[in-house]
Amino acid sequence: MSTNDLKRLAPASDEAARRATDGLVARASEDGLVDVALATMDSPVGELLVAVTRKGLVTVSFEDEPRDEVVARLARRVSPRVLEAAAPTDAARRELEEYFEARRHAFDLGIDRRLIGEFAWSVLRATSRVGFGELATYGQIAQRIHRPNAARAVGRALGSNPITIVIPCHRIVGAGGSLTGYAGGLPRKQTLLRLEGSLP
């Protein structure tokens, strides 16, 4: 068999392997063997990694966070049964797409908070009440959780938010309205706030 013959066979072989993999993933999902499903999606702020469990959305992370670190954290703190499987993430990815197209102003997704500590959860819960197109300061969030002197701790909690965008830590700004302290970087924060009409 010639080299050209092998090249012609390779795409079919690759396609067969892809179908087999898809079939295994679907079967694993149906049999309840996938505790954490992962998929990626394109967005105006770069590629996002979306992870869901049966309880809900557990992670939305930016592309500059190493994927193997995200997967290792999920395996360690949620379940070792982590698998790339797009279908379980469809609802989350669809709502994110609608958000980026300015057709969605609030998310209707369940949240799996197993990557979020108790104090951080109180901060992120208060942050979730800051609506589309609105801003709040770190100090205001500290007041809302009845910890008026904890603005810095609020900032640290927001910096560790594992469910970026959906839990909108990008809407929290410094006391004078300065765009500080976004784990995804200030250009992403600016992009999100412009999308929401909070920045010119």
Side-chain angles (χ1 to χ4, degrees):
M1 183 176 285
S2 71
T3 302
N4 286 338
D5 290 333
L6 288 171
K7 286 179 179 175
R8 281 195 296 272
L9 285 173
S13 177
D14 290 346
E15 177 62 21
R18 186 191 63 75
R19 283 199 306 269
T21 300
D22 289 348
L24 286 171
V25 168
R27 181 66 185 270
S29 296
E30 290 169 7
D31 291 349
L33 301 177
V34 181
D35 289 336
V36 185
L38 304 174
T40 57
M41 64 177 287
D42 292 328
S43 84
V45 289
E47 186 178 79
L48 301 175
L49 178 64
V50 178
V52 302
T53 70
R54 292 179 189 86
K55 293 183 178 182
L57 184 64
V58 69
T59 291
V60 177
S61 62
F62 294 118
E63 61 191 344
D64 25 12
E65 185 172 3
R67 183 170 178 163
D68 56 347
E69 291 182 13
V70 176
V71 171
R73 183 166 62 248
L74 289 166
R76 187 174 63 252
R77 296 180 58 185
V78 179
S79 169
R81 298 195 297 190
V82 180
L83 189 64
E84 189 163 336
T89 71
D90 282 350
R93 289 185 294 121
R94 183 179 62 251
E95 290 200 15
L96 281 161
E97 286 170 0
E98 292 168 355
Y99 165 81
F100 287 122
E101 293 167 358
R103 296 188 293 117
R104 173 175 289 277
H105 292 181
F107 292 94
D108 298 315
L109 299 167
I111 298 296
D112 184 335
R113 48 174 285 205
R114 281 180 281 179
L115 296 180
I116 305 171
E118 287 302 318
F119 175 77
W121 179 240
S122 70
V123 170
L124 295 176
R125 201 168 54 237
T127 302
S128 293
R129 298 187 186 110
V130 180
F132 186 98
E134 300 175 359
L135 298 175
T137 67
Y138 298 101
Q140 286 172 331
I141 296 298
Q143 292 281 352
R144 291 175 193 181
I145 63 168
H146 309 293
R147 299 280 297 275
N149 298 318
R152 287 187 180 178
V154 164
R156 288 192 295 273
L158 294 174
S160 68
N161 177 14
I163 309 177
T164 189
I165 302 169
V166 174
I167 298 179
C169 51
H170 58 277
R171 296 176 188 159
I172 312 306
V173 298
S178 57
L179 303 185
T180 60
Y182 190 57
L186 292 185
R188 285 193 179 106
K189 186 167 189 166
Q190 291 168 332
T191 297
L192 295 170
L193 293 179
R194 285 194 182 104
L195 182 150
E196 297 183 4
S198 301
L199 281 183

